[in-house]
Amino acid sequence: MNGWIILDKPLGLGSTQAVGAVKRVCREAGLGKVKVGHGGTLDPLASGVLPIALGEATKLCGRMLDASKIYAFTIAFGTETDGLDAEGEVVASSDVRPTLAEVEAVLPRFTGAIEQVPPAYSAIKIDGQRAYDLARKGEAVEMKARSVTIFSLRHAGLDPASMAAPAEWTPDQVRGDEDEEERLDSITLVAHVSKGTYIRSLARDIAHAVGTVGHVTMLRRTKAGPFDLEQAISLDKLNAFGQGAAQSEVILPLEAGLVDIPALNLSPEAAGAIRQGRVWTGVATDDGLYWGRDDQNRPIALIEALAGTLKVVRGFNL
């Protein structure tokens, strides 16, 4: 069993629990023991796209972790918490509320390459210990700034694409569309970000930039790498697979995780060499990363082309 299950992770479920649920369902479906991994942690307080790899697709989890992602998130103005989310303890407050125009005016500051200080409640290791473990013990945690890239950042408005699967959304989370001078208690934004970006830190910094404080009350990932909400399934649909639902309704092929890489058709001789991990020469193609496929369109390997020579980056045993 090789491929992807794209889960629309609900609130309250951790990524490790989601992987466990997939393993259980695969056993119930009679698939036996299947290697399972996820392509990017999603906190229990966040919902949305969680790519889960099966079998040989787990070899692509590293690429998925490095991929850019899109989030919709709501900033509640007026209070900042120690965890920068709705579960944290309030550590600062302000009576200042910005207008939509004021928020939009500062968004360009947070677009492009920026320096960002991660939350103290994060999985980053400090002297071998997770920052959140130190923070929970009440120890002072000094987080160092890191470079991340915000490819785009905008007000969500009532854009249907950013409002997909809106079960946990409420009308006041998109206030400010009719009257730009209205003082906002909260606002929902959409951000396309590089790996390593903390949305909670982004929300904190945006609130500071408009002269107030804030924290995240809603966080939903709408895209991770090549996967988006249109491909995501609910827990109910996942569980239905364990009860006999068609595999095609739940599992995407391995190559679904490679759509952002060009495919390279390999001759039978080249495919045989690549399967064995050997270098293959004399190929007329541009330099770069490809996924090689045989004459039956099966993925053989991730391959690097350089000056007409193909070298295996990651092989697939299909």
Side-chain angles (χ1 to χ4, degrees):
M1 177 54 56
N2 308 287
W4 299 91
I5 292 176
I6 312 304
L7 187 65
D8 186 352
K9 190 192 79 64
L11 293 173
L13 186 73
S15 299
T16 301
Q17 291 173 300
V19 167
V22 169
K23 289 180 178 180
R24 171 183 55 77
V25 166
C26 286
R27 289 194 301 269
E28 292 174 350
L31 301 180
K33 189 175 181 180
V34 178
K35 189 175 182 180
V36 181
H38 65 74
T41 300
L42 202 56
D43 292 341
L45 290 179
S47 67
V49 175
L50 179 63
I52 298 178
L54 308 177
E56 289 295 289
T58 58
K59 294 178 177 179
L60 297 172
C61 283
R63 288 196 73 253
M64 206 60 58
L65 291 171
D66 289 342
S68 66
K69 298 170 179 68
I70 298 178
Y71 295 90
F73 62 104
T74 298
I75 309 171
F77 297 115
T79 55
E80 183 175 314
T81 65
D82 52 9
L84 303 179
D85 57 29
E87 282 197 343
E89 297 292 328
V90 174
V91 294
S93 60
S94 171
D95 293 330
V96 175
R97 299 293 184 272
T99 65
L100 175 59
E102 289 170 342
V103 174
E104 291 187 325
V106 304
L107 295 186
R109 299 188 205 172
F110 302 97
T111 304
I114 66 170
E115 292 290 310
Q116 181 185 78
V117 177
Y121 284 82
S122 65
I124 294 172
K125 285 190 174 182
I126 300 176
D127 296 329
Q129 296 188 66
R130 299 289 184 187
Y132 54 65
D133 288 331
L134 296 172
R136 287 166 184 160
K137 293 176 184 177
E139 298 184 23
V141 180
E142 184 178 350
M143 307 300 294
K144 295 181 179 179
R146 54 171 57 189
S147 297
V148 298
T149 301
I150 312 297
F151 301 106
S152 65
L153 178 62
R154 61 181 175 81
H155 176 221
L158 294 174
D159 180 358
S162 62
M163 298 289 283
E168 63 265 39
W169 295 49
T170 57
D172 65 336
Q173 290 174 330
V174 289
R175 293 177 58 188
D177 295 288
E178 296 179 358
D179 182 0
E180 289 194 357
E181 294 307 307
E182 179 185 4
R183 293 289 166 178
L184 304 177
D185 290 323
S186 64
I187 191 170
T188 297
L189 304 174
V190 176
H192 180 195
V193 304
S194 69
K195 72 168 184 175
T197 301
Y198 282 90
I199 298 298
R200 287 175 291 155
S201 293
L202 182 60
R204 172 200 61 203
D205 296 343
I206 290 170
H208 289 178
V210 293
T212 186
V213 294
H215 66 277
V216 170
T217 57
M218 185 282 296
L219 179 59
R220 182 163 178 76
R221 188 156 70 193
T222 61
K223 190 172 184 180
F227 301 117
D228 59 28
L229 284 169
E230 290 186 3
Q231 298 157 298
I233 63 170
S234 66
L235 273 181
D236 286 343
K237 192 165 186 178
L238 174 66
N239 289 328
F241 174 55
Q243 304 304 315
Q247 178 178 315
S248 60
E249 296 181 4
V250 174
I251 301 178
L252 300 177
L254 180 148
E255 52 267 36
L258 298 170
V259 296
D260 55 339
I261 304 173
L264 183 64
N265 295 323
L266 301 174
S267 67
E269 295 78 14
I274 294 298
R275 279 196 177 96
Q276 295 171 10
R278 292 190 282 123
V279 172
W280 187 259
T281 59
V283 179
T285 190
D286 295 333
D287 293 351
L289 184 67
Y290 296 85
W291 63 276
R293 60 187 178 191
D294 63 14
D295 54 5
Q296 297 182 49
N297 289 326
R298 291 175 301 192
I300 301 299
L302 280 179
I303 49 181
E304 188 76 36
L306 181 62
T309 297
L310 304 182
K311 184 178 180 181
V312 176
V313 175
R314 192 73 167 169
F316 305 124
N317 297 316
L318 301 178

